[in-house]
Amino acid sequence: MTANAFREDKEAALASGMKGHLAKPVDINLLYKMIFNAL
């Protein structure tokens, strides 16, 4: 989770090996979906 919500920030996070990107304000349903997919 990050406050960096620009497209470039998301691309940089994914390029560095992160498996997802969730910016603030948090959409709780998206958060749950991402956690479920990671398990």
Side-chain angles (χ1 to χ4, degrees):
M1 183 174 9
T2 180
N4 299 331
F6 295 111
R7 180 181 41 99
E8 298 85 19
D9 298 323
K10 180 178 180 180
E11 291 171 357
L14 297 176
S16 72
M18 290 184 169
K19 298 186 186 278
H21 183 271
L22 185 61
K24 295 177 185 177
V26 176
D27 176 342
I28 196 70
N29 293 320
L30 182 56
L31 174 62
Y32 288 149
K33 181 179 178 181
M34 292 179 80
I35 292 172
F36 179 77
N37 288 335
L39 296 177

